[in-house]
Amino acid sequence: MSDLEAFRAETRAWLEANCPASMRTAMPSDEMVWGGRNLEFKHEDQRLWFERMRDKGWFCPDWPSEYGGGGLDHQHLAILEAEMRRLRCRPPQINLGIWMLGPVLLEYASEEQKQRFLPPMARGEVRWCQGFSEPNAGSDLASLRTSAVLDGDDYVINGTKIWTSYGNKSDWMYALVRTGPMVPKQAGISLIVLDMQSPGVTVTPIDLISGKSSFCQVFFDNVRVPKSQLIGQVNEGWKLAKALLQHERRAMSKFSEFALPTHFDLDEFLQRCLPQPTSADEVVLHQRAIACMMNEEAYSLTNRRMTDSLRARQDVSGLMAISKLVHSEQEREKFELLLELLGHEALGWEGQGFSPRDLELTGAWLMSYAQTIAGGSSEVQLNVIAKRVLGLPDAK
Amino acid sequence: MSLVYNEDQLQLLDSARDFLAARSPVAAQRALRDEKSPLGYDPKVWEGMIELGWSAVALPEEHGGLNFGFAGFAPLFEQIGRHLTASPMLSSIVLCAGLIEQLGSADQKALLPALICGEKRFALALEECARHQPETCSLIARKTSEGYRLSGRKVWVADAQGADSWLVVARSEAGQRAIFIVPADTQGVSVSPRQMIDARNMAELTFEDALVEASALLACGNTENALERVLEQGRTCLAAELLGLSETLFEMTIDYLKTRVQFDAAIGSFQALQHRAARLYIELQLARSAVMGAFECLERTADNAAECARLSSLAKWKANQAAQLISNEAVQMHGGIGVTDEYDLGLYLKRIRLAQAQLGHSEFLARRYAEASQGNS
Ligand SMILES: Cc1cc2nc3c(=O)[nH]c(=O)nc-3n(C[C@H](O)[C@H](O)[C@H](O)COP(=O)(O)OP(=O)(O)OC[C@H]3O[C@@H](n4cnc5c(N)ncnc54)[C@H](O)[C@@H]3O)c2cc1C
């Protein structure tokens, strides 16, 4: 048996023995476990699953073990992910730090910063949020204005961030700040990490169309952040931000592959609502649903091809560039279809007369719009593909 | 196999590219069209393909094959698409040799080496409708003391002209499907050529009490699985061809966007066109993944019929969709030159439409996918 096959067998056995049965079901949104200072579990099983995966180093299986990771290479990682999917294991926790900031720290932070920030992250002890966007800096992120001015050993931060997901529940933020003069705009930006409990930080939640308010505006009023919390070189944050956004898109393109609460299986609803299409309108709807499922399968084959290409040491930048765009648009289209399939049942807001799962669907549909905007809108992704992948010229 | 080419496949790809670039550039296809060659392909190029072993890749060694595996067709058909090369690979090898290998008696399988080395060439006579409808079959085979009498009509028989024999799908008096190997000189069969937009070899066959010997029967009653299997293989090869055709048009278009200047700027700097170009790239990537997925599935010999039905339908469906979009956008983005005969784009567009229709248009494939997903393929 090859090393990989032995690892697969071992992993399968471990997951079967250690992942509680209740952690192998689709996850309702109020059962997501977020890492952080204020860990909350609704069931004992959640705690068990969290602690076992943590102790394996499998919150971040591909990080070096010296920083608390699992030390797996990409082939072993692919096996672990496949085995988790096979058993439908829930993610043991959700943690932006691990998905996005961690890989950037591994690549760019000083040794001291790695030692300080990575191990707690790898144990799920800190909940992170992303402070990039500002009211006047969305797609044009580089025009951000929140300033960080050096004063002794501290940076003093003033300005505001917006659309900060879970800003109200997070312990720490990684933020882009302006440390240099305004021109040229990409050149004066730095990446800094800060404790959300620092004096001068105010957080205001913003309601979303889905009824949630995970979004926040964050205000900084003379917030002092030690200079040692600047990541990488001063004024070179743009490079780090670009790397981080790539990790974000990769994480987003994987969202529904795991048993996240946003996952709805179109085929299951098709069987339930339209087992035998007869009238012309039903036939049309059925055909649209089939096309949508076919596109989903082509996308999931594309993900497999990306893994295979990596293994064959081929360039996957093109595939990576399309991934989040395709996934988020397919999801939105799927939700539109689910809405039509369920008719009024899918348009309930709350309370009596609707099944909780259908209400969840309505919320997930409304959230699906967010995915085509967050992490760079579809249009911005198309710009990236056109310029970086296809090499089309810039406008004059 | 994985969803990327392995070393062996890459070697096939390279040698196919070199061979076709030298021996079958697009200009050669244009010349075949202009001289209205009834064969629709260049027999010398076909000979060259045979010498390179293309016709032998998927067949077992005992019948003169190379036993490379079905996945060997992926790089070959992709390159065939890229170079717009006509050949009897699909009709004679994938479809006919594939059927004989699965259904033939020992005597009939003895035909395989002759097909592989090009000494003989067969074509599959299946369709009876304007659109691919493999279940429709009213050509009837009546048993007689001497053999069988065939009556009926087959349309859209690719590479029918000049074939040595046709594999004819018929229905027995008891209503079972049967397949016959009908020699081209059989009395009572007439061949009417059909001039198609891709200028390839296409004809209609009419059978008027055409008598064949009893030994011409390839199979009766137990044909369905084998027929499905070769049609799935054929669809997957066509999907690879469509991928090659589409990628070529896509590359032509991206080059054009970079070089054509209007309003003092390369038209590729206009965001309206950039976004459309990026969407074409996305469709191509999804199509390639689907095609690779189908080859991987068909390569395995395990009992995975429903999965093969699903993935081969997906592959051709997605390749059809990508080709439709890319061919239309390619013409549009080229402007006036895109609709001239002088420019190669039109040749690709026309071949794409034929390949889209062959062995299943998109709606047919979506239906098959849906049926196979429910396990009643
Ligand atoms: C669910 C969600 C979570 C988010 N979480 C966070 C977070 O945690 N932290 C954070 O910092 N930010 C977060 N964001 C912000 C997100 O990154 C921005 O919303 C996004 O980058 C778009 O910026 P904008 O909203 O200002 O829209 P704008 O940039 O104003 O865009 C408006 C429209 O113009 C289009 N457009 C803009 N520029 C171009 C162009 N060059 N070419 C073509 N079209 C263009 C856009 O595509 C869009 O359609 C989140 C957003 C969402 C929806």
Side-chain angles (χ1 to χ4, degrees), chain A residues 267 270-271 275-276 286-287 290-306 308-312 314 317-319 321-322 325-326 329-330 378-387 389-396, chain B residues 1-5 10 250 254 257-258 263-271 273-279 281-294 296 310-311 313-314 317-318 321 362-363 365-367 369-370 373-374:
Chain A
D267 196 32
L270 199 60
Q271 305 297 336
Q276 301 274 279
H286 194 264
Q287 282 170 348
I290 299 299
C292 182
M293 287 178 344
M294 292 176 91
N295 275 319
E296 271 186 14
E297 183 154 12
Y299 172 73
S300 93
L301 286 164
T302 304
N303 274 338
R304 269 189 54 207
R305 181 157 72 91
M306 184 145 67
D308 290 348
S309 307
L310 264 176
R311 195 170 305 155
Q314 292 176 358
S317 54
L319 292 180
I322 70 170
L325 167 74
V326 172
E329 292 196 343
Q330 285 188 357
S378 293
E379 290 72 23
V380 167
Q381 307 296 315
L382 291 170
N383 286 346
V384 170
I385 298 167
K387 301 219 174 86
V389 182
L390 304 181
L392 291 175
D394 285 324
K396 287 218 243 180
Chain B
M1 191 194 164
S2 71
L3 301 191
V4 295
Y5 287 147
L10 287 174
F250 175 72
I254 297 298
L257 292 179
K258 287 178 184 170
F263 305 100
D264 300 324
I267 57 173
S269 67
F270 302 136
Q271 197 181 49
L273 298 188
Q274 288 185 343
H275 283 193
R276 281 158 60 184
R279 295 222 177 253
Y281 175 78
I282 290 170
E283 288 304 299
L284 263 184
Q285 296 313 316
L286 294 174
R288 173 167 289 281
S289 309
V291 170
M292 297 300 284
E296 185 201 48
R310 208 182 73 240
L311 288 176
S313 305
L314 178 66
W317 180 81
K318 198 63 214 171
Q321 305 262 305
S362 297
E363 291 68 26
L365 297 162
R367 190 191 80 201
Y369 178 90
S373 302
Q374 287 166 21

Side-chain angles (χ1 to χ4, degrees), chain B residues 105 114 146 207 225 301 324 377:
Chain B
S105 64
E146 308 128 283
F207 299 79
N225 290 346
T301 47
Q324 174 85 19
S377 56

Side-chain angles (χ1 to χ4, degrees), chain A residues 96 129-141 161-166 174 208 214-215 245 248 367 369-380 383, chain B residues 271 275:
Chain A
L96 301 198
C129 62
Q130 169 169 306
F132 281 17
S133 306
E134 296 183 9
N136 289 309
S139 302
D140 185 13
L141 185 57
K161 292 287 171 186
I162 197 165
W163 318 135
T164 316
S165 297
Y166 301 103
Y174 50 93
L208 291 181
S214 55
F215 255 15
L245 290 172
E248 174 171 21
M367 272 313 281
Y369 288 90
Q371 307 302 317
T372 58
I373 298 168
S377 65
S378 293
E379 290 72 23
V380 167
N383 286 346
Chain B
Q271 197 181 49
H275 283 193

Side-chain angles (χ1 to χ4, degrees), chain A residues 215-235:
Chain A
F215 255 15
C216 297
Q217 184 158 8
V218 180
F219 300 90
F220 301 100
D221 180 17
N222 287 317
V223 178
R224 298 191 79 87
V225 177
K227 175 165 97 169
S228 61
Q229 288 174 202
L230 187 90
I231 310 294
Q233 301 299 312
V234 73
N235 290 338

Side-chain angles (χ1 to χ4, degrees), chain A residues 139-215:
Chain A
S139 302
D140 185 13
L141 185 57
S143 66
L144 63 92
R145 286 217 275 263
T146 294
S147 66
V149 178
L150 199 55
D151 177 30
D153 281 341
D154 292 340
Y155 278 103
V156 178
I157 299 185
N158 280 289
T160 181
K161 292 287 171 186
I162 197 165
W163 318 135
T164 316
S165 297
Y166 301 103
N168 52 346
K169 296 192 173 149
S170 298
D171 306 313
W172 277 65
M173 171 188 273
Y174 50 93
L176 290 176
V177 290
R178 187 158 296 286
T179 39
M182 284 300 279
V183 271
K185 57 186 184 180
Q186 272 89 351
I189 294 173
S190 301
L191 180 67
I192 202 163
V193 298
L194 62 110
D195 191 329
M196 292 295 276
Q197 289 177 348
S198 313
V201 177
T202 325
V203 182
T204 329
I206 304 168
D207 288 342
L208 291 181
I209 51 176
S210 63
K212 298 219 166 95
S213 57
S214 55
F215 255 15

